[in-house]
Amino acid sequence: MTDLYQAQRTMRNMRRAAMQRGVIAILDVGTSKVACLVLRFDGPDKFREADGVGPMAGQSSFRVIGAATTRSRGVRFGEIDAMHETERAIRTAVQAAQKMARVRVDHVIACFAGAEPRSYGLAGEVPLHDSVVTEQDVARVLAACEVPDFGEGREVLHAQPVNFALDHRSGLGDPRGQIGNRLACDMHLLTVETSVIQNLLYCLKRCDLELAGLASAAYVAGMASLVEDEQELGAACIDMGGGATGISIFIKKHMIYADNVRMGGDHIASDISKGLQVPLAVAERIKTFYGGVVATGMDDREMIEIGADSGDWDKDRRTVSRTELIGIMRPRVEEILEEVRARLDAAGFDHLPSQQIVLTGGGSQIPGLDGLAARILGQQVRLGRPLRVQGLPQAATGPGFASTVGLALFAAHPQDEWWDFEIPADRYPARSLKRAVRWFKDNW
Amino acid sequence: MQPLTPRARRDPAPSRVAYRLHRLWLTPLFRALLRVGLPAFALTFAAGIYLSDTGRRAEISQTLASVQKTLEERPAFMVREVVIEGATDLSQAQVAALLPIDLPRSSFDLDLGALRAAIGAVDAVAGADLRIVSGGILSVRITERRPAVLLRSAAGLEILDAGGHPVGPASRRADYPDLPLVAGNGAGGQVAAAQMLWAAAAPIAGRLRGLVWIGERRWDLVLDRDQRIRLPQRDPVTALERVIALDQARDVLARDVVAIDMRNPQRPTIRMTAGATAAMHETRLLEQKTRLLEQRAAGQ
């Protein structure tokens, strides 16, 4: 656990250093695109009065000064598959964003969608030394959480205290200074595959960038596209990406569950490619321009030229009706949504007080998706777009950039995680000077 | 696995070297160094190499000097004539001696400030106004000091202005009949008082020889026939007016008087000559005798 602590704390320090320098890069390594934003932090109140943006999610403290998107290469299911290809894609995006920002960035906060996230709910309980809860007690109760055995080759990505309870009172946001006998806490732990992180680290290192933070794409997409009351009352964010569909459930402004369906828009495109016998690029284009999930009578008459380059007249002049296209797409979309439904059911989403579902990500732009999703996921479905942030180009404001924008918010104002609290004194190695200092602090 | 040798198509990604160079170029310090530092260094270096040769340096300085000389000696900048205005013969010669004689000369070589200071240092000059006017003329406008009193001292006669500043030597008293003559230690600092007394003494001006500053505190008026009017330290003009009034009423000064002492204003004193004193005693004796004779005659 100390190891993880050190790594995450190092990243936090990097982030602080970057904030001091005022420039930080956001890197969203997705299956279909790699997006890079360069943020400049100018202090919290610089832009607030200019256009009435409140300080709600910390988005008023920064400004996007560089943005670049490039087609992703070598990424499958939100995981890096061909490292050198991905490295090139990252390089392209970072260089273009730097060029636009006219500034060099050294620190980067990255997110990725895949890596088989698994959520764990942890609980811990400690008796209080004296009846007032101090920062040390919070640290102790966090340390007392029983960490499950999540197996070899997995790494903790997020560990957020979700709830504190003092004696019989639960639902405390901040127990410090309160009086009681026993302090309990619930923590949400998200683990991912270590190898994925290592691959990403390797790519970033090859690009001369220092990692200042890591986040799960599902989590940050939820941060960006759920509005405040949805986060408070309970909502799920479905981030329909290219290679993976992320699910994150929020309540009381904390993520309590995250999961990942390893299917996405690329699978729809590959279905089209197979069904219509066209190259993947053409299939992608057809999906983007003519795609849909609900066929109407009009669609029977709308013929799409799919073309080819074979030289054979008959093959090169093929057309399909939009209904056929929808017929290919719909089962796959349904399959994805069914899978999401299954994950949500497994997580106990139907026990939440509010069951709002927000669809975001590039895949959510399929026309008619909200109707289909309402049938499968429940009545409260809406399409979500990311929060508006200062200086973001128009091209990067679509739902496909939900996790990018969310990552920017995460960079500006990360939630407290386990490693943001102090290490309890008894967890320090013996004979440590820090431990002595801590003892003096506590007893004098 | 993909083929290890990539297909020959354009890769939109920058190469690692290009990426690094771009980042280096975006580094502010490096950028400043390259955009300002490098040209500045190259320029300095080139100039240093060029100037390291002594012959070249001399050549450059020579060229510069000759250019400067041609520029300065353009006819527009030459001064050919000096015009002195406002100077009388008292100061004309002295001022003219100070002005440059080797005309024509470039106006860049003339230090008007120093010239003005030098001219201002001449006793007879109160202020000088120098300018170079068009046509190559150095115009010197002089304000002279106005003579106020003559000071007689061991060194001779000297003219002073109203502020007590020396104007120049005087050869003879008769050359300045209308100026008051003063003498005595420190009299030069009392020009204003002397002028006031001189004005007050206008009724006896015909007889007035001069004023003497006694003991650096009070005045004596010296008349002809060695008569003196000793004035008090305070309010000498009033005392002088009283003497003049006395003179006009009783004709005191025409009599055989050596000095009228007004030093104590409450008790003016007259000092007579020895002959006058004897004559007064005789007159008194005669009067006494006459009175005795009259008493006797009345008693009988």
Side-chain angles (χ1 to χ4, degrees):
Chain A
M1 207 58 351
T2 323
D3 223 26
L4 162 79
Y5 241 90
Q6 293 311 331
Q8 293 281 7
R9 286 206 155 193
T10 316
M11 285 206 279
R12 281 286 197 251
N13 288 336
M14 287 282 185
R15 179 185 158 272
R16 208 165 299 129
M19 294 291 238
Q20 255 172 10
R21 199 187 278 185
V23 177
I24 198 164
I26 294 300
L27 193 66
D28 176 14
V29 185
T31 315
S32 56
K33 68 169 183 355
V34 174
C36 179
L37 302 183
V38 179
L39 308 184
R40 188 170 63 211
F41 287 87
D42 284 333
D45 300 319
K46 187 107 177 186
F47 305 110
R48 191 184 296 173
E49 277 157 30
D51 50 1
V53 180
M56 183 180 80
Q59 79 271 41
S60 68
S61 65
F62 65 83
R63 186 180 191 85
V64 179
I65 55 170
T69 312
T70 183
R71 192 170 62 88
S72 182
R73 298 150 68 181
V75 182
R76 287 173 67 215
F77 305 119
E79 296 157 14
I80 293 172
D81 188 53
M83 222 137 40
H84 292 280
E85 289 286 299
T86 311
E87 180 206 324
R88 287 204 188 101
I90 291 174
R91 223 153 56 196
T92 316
V94 170
Q95 187 178 27
Q98 278 180 348
K99 201 167 179 175
M100 180 173 163
R102 301 170 64 85
V103 71
R104 173 195 168 137
V105 283
D106 292 323
H107 300 93
V108 65
I109 293 184
C111 77
F112 51 88
E116 293 181 24
R118 271 181 226 153
S119 277
Y120 298 90
L122 273 55
E125 197 179 64
V126 286
L128 294 178
H129 289 318
D130 49 357
S131 50
V132 180
V133 180
T134 61
E135 201 135 335
Q136 266 301 303
D137 292 320
V138 176
R140 279 198 307 129
V141 73
L142 290 177
C145 286
E146 200 161 317
V147 179
D149 178 22
F150 39 70
E152 266 313 290
R154 293 193 71 83
E155 189 82 50
V156 176
L157 190 61
H158 291 291
Q160 294 161 340
V162 174
N163 181 31
F164 287 100
L166 200 54
D167 296 340
H168 55 276
R169 290 187 297 140
S170 184
L172 301 176
D174 183 1
R176 282 174 303 172
Q178 304 208 39
I179 294 171
N181 293 318
R182 294 190 71 75
L183 181 67
C185 111
D186 298 314
M187 186 150 67
H188 173 235
L189 192 77
L190 189 73
T191 64
V192 292
E193 295 277 347
T194 313
S195 56
V196 176
I197 294 181
Q198 277 169 349
N199 289 350
L200 183 63
L201 273 177
Y202 179 78
C203 285
L204 293 179
K205 199 177 161 212
R206 292 263 302 170
C207 291
D208 304 330
L209 296 168
E210 303 226 44
L211 194 62
L214 261 181
S216 152
Y219 168 55
V220 290
M223 296 264 292
S225 50
L226 296 184
V227 297
E228 207 168 354
D229 56 327
E230 286 168 348
Q231 283 184 15
E232 179 70 34
L233 297 174
C237 174
I238 316 294
D239 178 16
M240 304 182 72
T245 297
I247 303 158
S248 55
I249 301 178
F250 283 74
I251 190 165
K252 294 185 112 180
K253 294 191 179 158
H254 290 286
M255 178 173 69
I256 54 166
Y257 179 78
D259 206 340
N260 184 15
V261 176
R262 287 162 78 80
M263 271 185 288
D266 283 0
H267 298 85
I268 302 174
S270 89
D271 283 354
I272 295 170
S273 162
K274 286 170 191 159
L276 301 181
Q277 308 229 320
V278 288
L280 254 179
V282 176
E284 182 74 33
R285 187 174 150 277
I286 290 173
K287 178 186 81 174
T288 317
F289 280 136
Y290 309 105
V293 286
V294 183
T296 60
M298 176 69 183
D299 294 330
D300 282 331
R301 280 169 282 150
E302 189 176 344
M303 301 305 284
I304 304 162
E305 299 217 352
I306 51 177
D309 254 348
S310 64
D312 177 30
W313 197 88
D314 280 331
K315 182 162 181 169
D316 289 359
R317 286 288 171 275
R318 281 177 304 160
T319 53
V320 290
S321 71
R322 191 164 174 234
T323 311
E324 278 177 275
L325 177 67
I326 288 171
I328 295 172
M329 285 176 71
R330 185 173 171 126
R332 181 63 86 167
V333 176
E334 273 176 352
E335 189 190 355
I336 294 172
L337 292 176
E338 298 274 5
E339 191 67 30
V340 167
R341 174 81 255 171
R343 302 290 167 101
L344 287 179
D345 284 343
F349 180 63
D350 42 356
H351 297 299
L352 291 192
S354 155
Q355 290 168 28
Q356 179 75 47
I357 287 173
V358 177
L359 297 172
T360 187
S364 71
Q365 287 164 299
I366 303 174
L369 181 71
D370 46 346
L372 183 63
R375 283 221 211 132
I376 298 172
L377 299 175
Q379 282 306 310
Q380 296 181 49
V381 173
R382 74 171 179 95
L383 296 179
R385 297 177 136 265
L387 210 67
R388 282 172 298 175
V389 295
Q390 297 270 332
L392 196 67
Q394 179 65 36
T397 53
F401 289 83
S403 52
T404 316
V405 172
L407 197 57
L409 300 179
F410 174 82
H413 189 68
Q415 266 183 336
D416 278 348
E417 307 225 15
W418 193 356
W419 35 85
D420 289 320
F421 294 93
E422 288 178 85
I423 305 175
D426 48 351
R427 291 297 179 104
Y428 282 121
R431 290 169 180 276
S432 151
L433 185 66
K434 261 191 185 166
R435 185 171 183 169
V437 171
R438 161 71 39 211
W439 186 86
F440 270 101
K441 254 193 189 169
D442 288 348
N443 291 280
W444 291 61
Chain B
M1 183 169 168
Q2 290 176 352
L4 285 175
T5 47
R7 259 190 300 163
R9 60 168 177 162
R10 213 185 71 78
D11 191 349
S15 71
R16 241 180 136 201
V17 175
Y19 174 78
R20 282 200 171 149
L21 281 178
H22 184 239
R23 278 168 69 79
L24 192 64
W25 175 238
L26 285 175
T27 311
L29 187 68
F30 177 80
R31 206 175 166 129
L33 216 67
L34 212 66
R35 282 172 53 167
V36 181
L38 198 68
F41 173 75
L43 219 64
T44 319
F45 194 69
I49 285 182
Y50 184 75
L51 291 178
S52 59
D53 184 19
T54 325
R56 249 184 230 144
R57 273 209 302 273
E59 198 178 295
I60 286 173
S61 60
Q62 217 168 23
T63 317
L64 279 178
S66 75
V67 165
Q68 193 185 5
K69 202 166 155 55
T70 32
L71 204 68
E72 282 176 357
E73 290 184 349
R74 285 172 66 93
F77 295 129
M78 296 303 278
V79 172
R80 290 183 208 84
E81 206 180 329
V82 175
V83 175
I84 302 174
E85 292 172 47
T88 57
D89 27 341
L90 193 69
S91 55
Q92 173 94 44
Q94 290 183 56
V95 171
L98 289 171
L99 289 170
I101 45 168
D102 49 343
L103 295 175
R105 215 168 148 185
S106 167
S107 57
F108 287 102
D109 295 342
L110 291 176
D111 187 355
L112 291 189
L115 269 180
R116 183 172 175 275
I119 293 172
V122 172
D123 278 347
V125 175
D129 203 5
L130 278 83
R131 62 186 62 165
I132 293 167
V133 294
S134 61
I137 298 167
L138 172 62
S139 154
V140 184
R141 186 185 297 274
I142 285 171
T143 320
E144 288 209 319
R145 293 185 192 279
R146 302 166 68 84
V149 296
L150 282 175
L151 173 71
R152 188 185 290 283
S153 60
L157 265 181
E158 201 176 9
I159 311 170
L160 301 186
D161 71 349
H165 194 275
V167 176
S171 46
R172 292 191 305 160
R173 168 74 177 103
D175 291 346
Y176 305 92
D178 50 343
L179 292 188
L181 179 73
V182 297
N185 263 354
Q190 303 293 325
V191 176
Q195 277 179 315
M196 266 161 69
L197 284 175
W198 195 263
I204 52 169
R207 298 196 53 206
L208 193 58
R209 279 288 170 78
L211 298 140
V212 183
W213 182 241
I214 303 284
E216 297 197 11
R217 60 185 184 90
R218 63 175 199 84
W219 289 101
D220 266 13
L221 260 67
V222 181
L223 307 182
D224 54 359
R225 291 203 286 119
D226 280 343
Q227 282 183 337
R228 269 177 185 255
I229 301 172
R230 293 183 175 158
L231 296 177
Q233 189 173 350
R234 294 183 53 187
D235 224 356
V237 176
T238 318
L240 179 61
E241 278 167 356
R242 281 176 68 190
V243 173
I244 289 168
L246 202 62
D247 179 46
Q248 281 167 349
R250 294 287 183 85
D251 223 4
V252 176
L253 294 175
R255 301 187 187 213
D256 213 356
V257 171
V258 174
I260 301 177
D261 192 344
M262 298 293 288
R263 284 179 294 184
N264 185 348
Q266 269 76 47
R267 197 166 60 86
T269 313
I270 290 174
R271 200 165 116 207
M272 294 181 294
T273 55
T277 317
M280 193 180 74
H281 280 301
E282 263 173 45
T283 317
R284 278 207 187 138
L285 276 175
L286 203 62
E287 277 175 5
Q288 275 179 349
K289 280 178 187 169
T290 317
R291 209 177 303 137
L292 277 173
L293 286 175
E294 280 171 2
Q295 281 172 354
R296 244 175 242 169
Q300 280 172 358

